[in-house]
Amino acid sequence: MTKITVDSVICGFTHTINGKLNDDKIIIDIESPCEKIKGFSHMEVPMMEIFGIDDNYVIRKAKDAKCSSTCLIPCAVLHMCSLEAGFMSKNLAENSGSISINFEP
């Protein structure tokens, strides 16, 4: 099982995403105080449906939940899916520690 913490500073929420590969699906559970995220907080993502930026299982679920286009959670869930599916190195991710978007004055 892999765990990711997402600090959505702009909206004031901290989310915890847990993921685990189970056969050909990635089981995703999200702990979040955000009502929109709670709308898709449990997913069984088919491994072959995590590709593509505009048409994949996770983005469709985020659209259904009416997430903002700037919400970090769909991107974080896709990172989790890539990690659990073996398309991204867990060691590289752990050694990197975090990724960020920095707004410059």
Side-chain angles (χ1 to χ4, degrees), residues 12 20 22 24-25 29-30 35-36 49 63-65 70 79 87 104:
K20 182 177 181 177
N22 185 5
D24 63 344
K25 294 183 180 174
D29 286 300
I30 307 169
E35 292 302 319
K36 290 182 180 181
E49 289 213 32
K63 285 179 185 177
D64 291 346
T70 58
H79 274 75
F87 301 135
E104 304 296 330

Side-chain angles (χ1 to χ4, degrees), residues 1-3 16-20 27-31 80:
M1 179 172 294
T2 304
K3 180 178 178 178
T16 303
I17 304 170
N18 292 293
K20 182 177 181 177
I27 309 303
I28 300 290
D29 286 300
I30 307 169
E31 297 171 29
M80 172 68 76

